[in-house]
């Protein structure tokens, strides 16, 4: 059976891992290559790199990071942050990324999803969606530009459109849960799972092992993304996987 | 010399990096003579079957591949490269493949929304043929990302994975091998498989 995926996310600024990563025996706490290698050893199933500077100059730096990591670490790599053209995608995929995640640019220009899927294949195009519950209108809304801008667009409808346009996967972050460590937004993913049949990666809210077990009861969610709880070793990937396996969730060991 | 066919339809660079990692000096090429004179050929590919076949045809590589295989050169198709080894695909109507392994490529059925398509992630191999050099694949996870799969006679299936239906993961006919998964993205297991190909198929 297909294993559920545990996916650490690394924020990259100027070619360095931004948030401190708190592993023992790391020579250089900001080196993306060294950190990626540690995560591979720990059994991470994929890695996501998020370019949090995302200016033109830094995008070239990001391609260099991907190039270096892909020479040392042989696992799927997704890169996101500021990707807004086929040329951006081409540069990163050429450097060694397997998938690119597009967010704000896809909202501004949904045809970019189709163009990317046609050129590189749907499997290479991840649409990332930042979502917040809007109580007055009782719907999930899409936010862009690092979660700062409310688009007023219904997130579930946008997800369906993104898939229709050729998205091969959806990376859906609950802004309500992000950083809270109170568990994933299972309601969001349940509703989403009824509407799309592409793989969904859930993000936002991971705090304890049980959160992953709960999340993965949803067959539509095949991946879970988390950052600080892994970086600061509040949870270890081997522990999470052991626990998942003990609870009947298929994981790669 | 080991060649990786470079026809602008796939992430050939990651395959090249994985070869370097296992100590093999492979070269990216689309040159017919170089391909035909190789000691082994790797044939990666991602994207759409028809586009990739059209690109091969435009570059005059269809007959080059067929000749190379027919002279006995060890040949390894990866992902879409594996699918193209078969007779045909139902992707966009019916597209002819390289016809090197009997069988056809079909869309993974989503069973009315009950199955997620594409299959994206790590799945566990079951060994179907004990006589293979890839025996070490048993119970090992490899990384897949695909919406189509091979339908062929079990005699060509070396290993398969369970995705609600059996999906061939490694296929083989004589000197022709195919990996549906990405060895260059399957961690230590993927590197082991490439190493095995170079040491036990190519060296033979």
């Amino acid at each position: 059976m297909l294993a559920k995926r545990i996916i650490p996310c690394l924020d990259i600024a100027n070619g360095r891992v931004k948030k401190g990563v708190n592993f023992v025996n790391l020579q250089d706490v900001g080196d993306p290559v060294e950190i990626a290698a540690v995560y591979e050893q720990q059994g991470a199933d994929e890695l996501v790199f998020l370019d949090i500077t995302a200016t033109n100059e830094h995008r070239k730096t990001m391609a260099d990071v991907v190039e270096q990591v892909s020479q040392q670490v042989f696992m799927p790599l997704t890169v996101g942050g500021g990707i807004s053209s086929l040329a951006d995608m081409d540069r990163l995929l050429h450097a060694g990324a397997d998938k690119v995640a597009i967010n704000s640019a896809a909202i501004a220009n949904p045809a970019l999803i189709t163009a990317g899927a046609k050129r590189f294949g749907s499997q290479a195009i991840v649409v990332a969606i930042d979502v917040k519950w809007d109580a007055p209108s009782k719907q999930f809304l899409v936010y862009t530009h690092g979660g700062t801008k409310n688009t007023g667009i219904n997130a579930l409808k946008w997800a369906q459109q993104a898939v229709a346009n050729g998205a091969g996967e959806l990376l859906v972050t609950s802004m309500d849960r992000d950083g809270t460590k109170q568990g994933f937004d299972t309601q969001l993913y349940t509703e989403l799972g009824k509407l799309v049949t592409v793989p969904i990666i859930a993000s936002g809210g991971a705090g304890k092992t049980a959160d992953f077990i709960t999340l993965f009861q949803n067959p539509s969610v095949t991946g879970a993304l988390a950052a600080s709880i892994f970086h600061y070793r509040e949870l270890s990937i081997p522990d999470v996987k052991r626990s998942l396996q003990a609870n009947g969730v298929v994981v790669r060991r | 010399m080991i060649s990786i066919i470079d026809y602008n339809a796939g992430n050939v660079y990651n395959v090249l990096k994985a070869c370097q990692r296992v100590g093999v000096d492979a070269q990216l090429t689309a040159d017919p003579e170089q391909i035909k004179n190789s000691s082994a050929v790797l044939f990666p590919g991602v994207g759409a079957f028809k586009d990739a076949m059209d690109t091969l045809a435009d570059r005059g590589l269809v007959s080059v591949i067929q000749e190379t295989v027919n002279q006995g050169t060890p040949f390894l198709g990866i992902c879409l490269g594996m699918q193209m080894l078969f007779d045909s695909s139902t992707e966009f109507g019916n597209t002819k493949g390289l016809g090197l392994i009997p069988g056809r490529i079909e869309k993974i059925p989503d069973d009315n929304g009950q199955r997620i398509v594409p299959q994206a992630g790590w799945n566990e191999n079951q060994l179907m043929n004990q006589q293979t050099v890839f025996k070490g694949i048993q119970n090992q996870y490899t990384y897949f990302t695909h919406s189509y799969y091979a339908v062929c006679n079990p005699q060509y299936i070396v290993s398969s994975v369970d995705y609600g239906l059996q999906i061939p993961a490694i296929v083989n006919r004589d000197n022709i091998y195919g990996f549906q998964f990405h060895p260059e993205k399957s961690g230590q297991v993927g590197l082991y498989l490439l190493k095995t190909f170079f040491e036990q198929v190519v060296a033979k």
Side-chain angles (χ1 to χ4, degrees):
Chain A
M1 293 293 289
L2 192 72
K4 300 286 190 180
R5 294 170 287 165
I6 302 293
I7 308 172
C9 177
L10 300 171
D11 287 351
I12 307 284
N14 306 324
R16 307 270 300 162
V17 177
K18 182 71 191 306
K19 287 177 197 159
V21 174
N22 184 15
F23 287 127
V24 273
N25 299 329
L26 268 189
Q27 308 248 339
D28 175 354
V29 290
D31 178 16
V33 177
E34 196 177 352
I35 291 165
V38 170
Y39 274 127
E40 184 186 36
Q41 279 167 17
Q42 291 191 346
D45 297 302
E46 298 189 28
L47 289 175
V48 170
F49 293 96
L50 195 59
D51 184 355
I52 58 170
T53 44
T55 58
N56 273 329
E57 188 189 330
H58 291 136
R59 246 179 247 132
K60 197 186 161 303
T61 313
M62 193 64 198
D64 293 340
V65 168
V66 172
E67 176 74 46
Q68 288 162 19
V69 171
S70 66
Q71 282 173 7
Q72 301 294 327
V73 172
F74 296 90
M75 65 195 291
L77 305 174
T78 300
V79 180
I83 295 168
S84 61
S85 67
L86 288 178
D88 291 342
M89 296 180 190
D90 190 47
R91 188 189 301 133
L92 292 163
L93 294 169
H94 194 122
D98 301 284
K99 313 177 208 181
V100 287
I102 48 176
N103 190 331
S104 306
I107 288 278
N109 175 21
L112 182 64
I113 304 170
T114 315
K118 199 154 181 272
R119 172 100 166 260
F120 307 110
S122 283
Q123 86 294 330
I125 308 299
V126 178
V127 171
I129 310 177
D130 294 337
V131 175
K132 208 169 183 174
W133 176 252
D134 184 63
S137 66
K138 294 197 173 61
Q139 60 179 331
F140 292 106
L141 295 178
V142 178
Y143 281 66
T144 56
H145 300 84
T148 58
K149 196 177 150 202
N150 182 359
T151 64
I153 295 169
N154 180 294
L156 299 176
K157 288 199 178 118
W158 168 237
Q160 284 179 288
Q161 192 194 335
V163 171
N165 281 17
E169 270 181 280
L170 298 176
L171 167 54
V172 181
T173 301
S174 162
M175 293 172 59
D176 298 310
R177 298 299 177 95
D178 206 20
T180 66
K181 299 183 188 173
Q182 290 179 352
F184 294 94
D185 189 342
T186 50
Q187 172 81 22
L188 168 62
Y189 302 113
T190 300
E191 293 196 25
L192 191 57
K194 289 179 194 155
L195 299 173
V196 299
T197 58
V198 299
I200 296 167
I201 299 169
S203 162
K208 54 191 187 301
T209 307
D211 297 335
F212 291 88
I213 298 169
T214 307
L215 175 73
F216 285 138
Q217 301 311 309
N218 180 345
S220 301
V221 177
T222 64
L225 181 134
S228 49
I229 54 157
F230 293 137
H231 300 335
Y232 299 125
R233 292 192 294 148
E234 290 168 31
L235 288 180
S236 83
I237 293 173
D239 285 347
V240 170
K241 286 195 163 183
R242 254 190 298 278
S243 212
L244 284 167
Q245 193 175 38
N247 284 275
V249 177
V250 177
V251 289
R252 177 176 69 108
R253 294 292 303 275
Chain B
M1 199 249 329
I2 287 162
S3 295
I4 301 172
I5 301 182
D6 182 6
Y7 60 113
N8 200 25
N11 208 334
V12 292
Y13 304 98
N14 285 331
V15 174
L16 180 65
K17 288 171 201 165
C19 290
Q20 287 166 345
R21 182 58 173 255
V22 299
V24 166
D25 182 23
Q27 289 188 14
L28 298 177
T29 182
D31 178 63
E33 287 311 307
Q34 192 172 339
I35 292 169
K36 280 192 255 182
N37 291 322
S38 302
S39 54
V41 175
L42 270 54
F43 179 46
V46 295
F49 192 101
K50 186 173 186 309
D51 288 352
M53 279 304 297
D54 288 348
T55 308
L56 278 187
D58 289 346
R59 301 191 177 193
L61 291 174
V62 173
S63 59
V64 172
I65 290 173
Q66 288 164 338
E67 281 172 45
T68 306
V69 165
N70 287 337
Q71 73 193 10
T73 306
F75 195 91
L76 174 61
I78 296 171
C79 196
L80 181 63
M82 171 262 203
Q83 297 187 351
M84 291 162 75
L85 300 173
F86 288 88
D87 292 323
S88 64
S89 168
T90 56
E91 193 173 350
F92 302 114
N94 199 27
T95 306
K96 208 164 167 253
L98 292 165
L100 298 168
I101 302 179
R104 63 185 188 281
I105 303 303
E106 291 186 3
K107 178 111 186 180
I108 300 173
D110 75 358
D111 290 359
N112 297 318
Q114 295 304 299
R115 184 183 287 111
I116 297 169
V117 179
Q119 168 171 235
W122 300 77
N123 206 334
E124 186 179 16
N125 284 264
Q126 295 304 320
L127 192 60
M128 307 303 279
N129 176 355
Q130 299 294 333
Q131 305 308 313
T132 177
V133 296
F134 296 112
K135 276 197 286 290
I137 193 74
Q138 172 70 354
N139 298 130
Q140 296 293 327
Y141 282 85
T142 50
Y143 182 79
F144 294 80
T145 171
H146 63 123
S147 300
Y148 287 76
Y149 75 116
V151 177
C152 67
N153 190 303
Q155 74 184 96
Y156 303 119
I157 302 174
V158 174
S159 75
S160 67
V161 296
D162 178 4
Y163 195 56
L165 74 175
Q166 288 299 311
I167 291 185
I170 299 181
V171 295
N172 168 229
R173 180 189 178 214
D174 302 328
N175 53 316
I176 312 161
Y177 289 81
F179 294 169
Q180 176 62 72
F181 50 84
H182 287 274
E184 77 280 14
K185 288 289 154 182
S186 295
Q188 296 305 312
V189 173
L191 296 177
Y192 149 79
L193 293 169
L194 285 175
K195 203 160 185 280
T196 302
F197 178 75
F198 292 127
E199 288 177 357
Q200 299 198 39
V201 178
V202 179
K204 251 199 257 180

